[in-house]
Amino acid sequence: MKRLLAAVGLLLLLCRAGDAELGDRAAANSSHSGFPQTVRVRLWYLHPPRELRIRADAGRAQMRTCAACKTTAITAAALRATGSKIEVEGNKPAFSEFRVSGAYQMNAAGDPPLRADFPIEIRASEGHLLITAFMPMEEYITGVLAGETGNFKSDEALKAMAVAARTYAMHFGSRHALEGFDFCDTTHCQDLRIVGIDAHLRSIADATAGEVLWYDGEPAATYYHANCGGTTEDGHFVLGNNEPRAPFLVQHSDQYCLRNGSTQWRTEVAKRDLQRALAADGVVVPGILRAVSVLHRTPSGRVEFIRVTGNGTITVPALAFRSAIGRHIGWDRMKSNWYDVSDAGDRLIFHGRGSGHGVGLCQIGAEVMGEEGRSYREILSFYYPGTRLGVSAQGIPWQQLANEDVALLTTRPDHDRSLLTLATGFMHESEENTGLLYRATPRLKIYPTIAAFRNSTGEPGWVAASTRGRTIQMQPSDVLREAGTLESTIRHELLHMLIDSYALPGTPLWFREGLVLYLTAPNASAKQSENVVDLKSLEKALRSPASEEESRHAYAGASARVAQLARQHGRETLLDWVQNGLPANAVASGAAQRTGGR
Ligand SMILES: [Zn+2]
Ligand SMILES: [Zn+2]
């Protein structure tokens, strides 16, 4: 293993920033541990729009009309569904498919514009546009935080929610697989609010990136709710047989949410309205509804069965009772199943406490814990007792170190502390080398074992590091140090991240890889004697190398090709191409132009 690492010397793959091809690979793309890296999310699931306007951000959007079609730059497009076709304003033939990538805004009638930099695929059905976004998992989690956490003030509570939301998504996996996507954007899956995504929420998701709660080797069923009212509910009473009975979803008292003040509510429902609502859900009360009383409560005190009396008496499960009122009278009326009911003539008065089903994490309680200085780990172990937090089933105890330039996640802080200074030095070098400035703080994540690295990244053991967004995931520092590649790996990945953050979407990987190698060691690149015959196969070998050998050749080939381009056009021109795209003659295969690598 070490020998191979030493022999490769360069090592890495999967630089995902600015990757326009992402969408096509997304569906099948998951690593060894089963973590999806990209999720397919149906936007406007409940109300698919008939029309959609797309406008490029900073001239950086492209479109295609099929997966294999040619990509063209667009500045704006107005789409309209007619039957199962998509009409594009100013374009004669209608399309059955329309794909957008790059950076852009989309407007559906009435909604504020959504800013996006993930690929979308649009199809049409019965006069509506079906819009599927290929979102990086962590961006999806950030959007769920925006949708599900309202105005949380505590960062630790937000982090706990990020882990709960990520675990929930992984536990349920692809709920809409039959419809061709993974998650809808409503509370059926988790409420997604893309317009609410901001830098702060991104930093929250990022601080817990990849962390999941495990139970029995699987991502746990991390249910959560708004406010338990002082006692959580046993999952069994809410989920029935949909979930195996889970010891981490047991009833327990919650002193925290009670400190936030009153959790009580009161609502009145007219008996006539109630009878109509029940009937609409198929619950028929004989005669005219006269009385309602609690028949049975669960041990937490929540109502389990309701007795409804007309000319006779029927028993209604409290879950069905509440959802009938929610669906047909209003979800804001009966906030939970924890209530007493009293008769007021033609109306019923419900006095209750808490909000939501009460199972799992209580958001108000989590917020109070965070404000009282508890960490997200403490919050999670309070609400999901017996689960383990980690990036893989092993549960890795990460510790974070940081200076003003870079963050470091490690399990051995004393051992790895010096890497912070090293990384800062390389960042300054990269900025001077390229004239570009880092847009976000890089994170170095150093796995404690090769197995943990492989589990979490899905990379083979001969890959030293893998970069996604602003996180560089690395093999244990000792392994790299002994292979003599620790410094070169960090240097390479940091420069890579910088270049990728400016690269025009669709910039080939061979160019980005080759440029990083060339900038860090111009002389070594010029000496590469790889015969670059075909840039297409070079690109393929870089993206998914069949072996360590093929990977090594591909890196050498990319390096040689870029060194050659640098001789022809000059270093500054190449840096310019990063942001503005490569000219056709640079993308054309190099065989004929090759002047020999010496
Ligand atoms: Zn759904
Ligand atoms: Zn609570």
Side-chain angles (χ1 to χ4, degrees):
M1 195 65 68
K2 289 168 197 163
R3 199 177 51 74
L4 283 178
L5 282 165
V8 178
L10 315 164
L11 357 115
L12 68 138
L13 318 167
L14 282 181
C15 304
R16 308 196 330 131
D19 192 338
E21 260 76 56
L22 199 59
D24 303 327
R25 293 188 283 124
N29 198 349
S30 66
S31 69
H32 293 177
S33 53
F35 287 8
Q37 295 161 355
T38 305
V39 290
R40 299 166 299 172
V41 187
R42 175 60 55 81
L43 307 180
W44 289 285
Y45 178 67
L46 284 184
H47 305 287
R50 295 179 180 277
E51 295 175 21
L52 187 75
R53 291 183 170 274
I54 291 170
R55 197 151 49 82
D57 259 355
R60 289 186 48 197
Q62 293 91 32
M63 56 136 300
R64 276 180 297 170
T65 52
C66 72
C69 294
K70 206 165 112 330
T71 302
T72 12
I74 47 165
T75 50
L79 277 55
R80 168 202 289 273
T82 46
S84 58
K85 289 283 182 190
I86 304 166
E87 284 180 2
V88 182
E89 204 174 273
N91 254 294
K92 255 289 146 58
F95 305 107
S96 53
E97 192 179 331
F98 195 88
R99 290 161 181 256
V100 184
S101 59
Y104 57 92
Q105 294 183 29
M106 51 184 153
N107 261 77
D111 287 348
L114 289 189
R115 256 173 204 267
D117 58 4
F118 41 76
I120 51 169
E121 176 200 287
I122 306 165
R123 290 171 187 277
S125 172
E126 295 171 6
H128 293 279
L129 295 169
L130 307 182
I131 302 158
T132 307
F134 294 85
M135 297 183 75
M137 180 64 159
E138 294 302 324
E139 189 75 351
Y140 169 71
I141 295 304
T142 309
V144 169
L145 281 181
E148 296 277 6
T149 60
N151 40 13
F152 268 41
K153 288 178 210 74
S154 153
D155 281 0
E156 292 302 307
L158 278 170
K159 284 185 210 166
M161 267 304 299
V163 174
R166 184 182 299 114
T167 308
Y168 190 89
M170 286 179 180
H171 176 84
F172 288 104
S174 185
R175 267 190 167 176
H176 296 269
L178 292 176
E179 295 163 85
F181 56 94
D182 300 314
F183 304 118
C184 69
D185 60 351
T186 76
T187 51
H188 167 263
C189 289
Q190 296 186 85
D191 191 13
L192 175 72
R193 199 163 162 265
I194 292 172
V195 284
I197 293 178
D198 61 20
H200 181 239
L201 289 181
R202 278 206 183 96
S203 78
I204 294 292
D206 217 53
T208 64
E211 285 185 314
V212 170
L213 282 177
W214 296 87
Y215 182 77
D216 215 9
E218 300 289 335
T222 47
Y223 285 87
Y224 55 88
H225 59 276
N227 180 344
C228 75
T231 303
T232 66
E233 180 61 301
D234 189 316
H236 172 73
F237 294 109
V238 175
L239 314 169
N241 295 326
N242 295 332
E243 290 281 340
R245 203 156 189 162
F248 57 90
L249 297 179
V250 291
Q251 176 202 326
H252 64 86
S253 69
D254 179 355
Q255 67 273 32
Y256 296 103
C257 64
L258 290 177
R259 283 182 215 159
N260 197 51
S262 172
T263 65
Q264 309 213 345
W265 52 264
R266 177 187 185 280
T267 193
E268 292 186 13
V269 177
K271 288 178 180 172
R272 280 180 49 193
D273 294 346
L274 177 62
Q275 182 159 19
R276 235 179 269 137
L278 288 169
D281 273 9
V283 180
V284 179
V285 182
I288 291 174
L289 189 151
R290 290 187 289 121
V292 167
S293 60
V294 172
L295 182 65
H296 193 259
R297 293 180 187 269
T298 71
S300 79
R302 289 175 177 81
V303 180
E304 192 178 12
F305 291 104
I306 285 273
R307 181 165 31 210
V308 183
T309 308
N311 291 345
T313 293
I314 57 167
T315 298
V316 184
L319 292 169
F321 187 81
R322 179 169 162 239
S323 84
I325 292 176
R327 243 197 294 269
H328 306 293
I329 302 178
W331 287 107
D332 56 335
R333 301 300 285 276
M334 193 177 247
K335 294 190 194 312
S336 72
N337 270 336
W338 197 350
Y339 52 78
D340 292 310
V341 56
S342 54
D343 201 301
D346 58 349
R347 289 159 302 130
L348 295 160
I349 300 174
F350 297 88
H351 282 280
R353 58 202 293 190
S355 174
H357 52 54
V359 178
L361 181 143
C362 164
Q363 291 189 314
I364 293 284
E367 175 82 336
V368 170
M369 285 185 83
E371 284 176 348
E372 290 183 1
R374 303 305 191 102
S375 71
Y376 74 101
R377 291 168 180 282
E378 290 174 299
I379 297 172
L380 290 166
S381 62
F382 179 70
Y383 288 110
Y384 304 111
T387 57
R388 281 194 304 183
L389 181 66
V391 292
S392 75
Q394 297 160 348
I396 300 176
W398 292 110
Q399 299 199 47
Q400 178 156 329
L401 306 171
N403 62 22
E404 57 274 24
D405 297 312
V406 61
L408 182 73
L409 283 161
T410 174
T411 56
R412 302 166 71 196
D414 291 333
H415 190 77
D416 289 334
R417 193 177 302 276
S418 63
L419 299 181
L420 277 180
T421 325
L422 189 73
T424 299
F426 288 142
M427 285 174 69
H428 292 162
E429 180 196 272
S430 299
E431 291 185 336
E432 278 165 29
N433 212 338
T434 58
L436 304 171
L437 295 174
Y438 281 90
R439 288 171 153 165
T441 309
R443 298 166 81 234
L444 261 56
K445 197 164 187 177
I446 300 170
Y447 284 85
T449 63
I450 296 172
F453 170 80
R454 294 190 53 175
N455 267 339
S456 301
T457 60
E459 304 293 2
W462 43 266
V463 171
S466 164
T467 297
R468 278 175 214 155
R470 64 191 187 92
T471 302
I472 299 169
Q473 307 185 87
M474 294 172 58
Q475 293 220 6
S477 52
D478 284 349
V479 172
L480 298 181
R481 195 176 278 120
E482 277 180 49
T485 54
L486 179 63
E487 300 204 353
S488 60
T489 298
I490 296 176
R491 192 177 184 214
H492 183 109
E493 296 293 336
L494 283 168
L495 180 55
H496 219 295
M497 183 183 293
L498 180 62
I499 285 179
D500 278 359
S501 70
Y502 284 89
L504 192 71
T507 305
L509 187 57
W510 67 259
F511 179 71
R512 291 178 281 138
E513 287 293 358
L515 186 59
V516 171
L517 295 171
Y518 173 75
L519 290 173
T520 44
N523 294 331
S525 292
K527 281 192 202 117
Q528 294 287 355
S529 55
E530 292 296 320
N531 203 9
V532 186
V533 282
D534 176 9
L535 291 175
K536 274 218 177 83
S537 42
L538 183 57
E539 186 74 4
K540 187 168 165 284
L542 284 171
R543 284 182 185 277
S544 46
S547 66
E548 182 262 334
E549 178 82 1
E550 188 182 64
S551 173
R552 178 151 35 112
H553 279 298
Y555 280 105
S559 166
R561 175 64 178 145
V562 170
Q564 182 192 28
L565 289 170
R567 278 197 301 277
Q568 291 167 353
H569 302 275
R571 186 177 171 285
E572 295 310 311
T573 307
L574 265 53
L575 284 169
D576 198 55
W577 289 350
V578 170
Q579 296 186 66
N580 299 309
L582 275 72
N585 64 349
V587 187
S589 267
Q593 310 165 26
R594 246 189 85 77
T595 51
R598 285 176 297 281

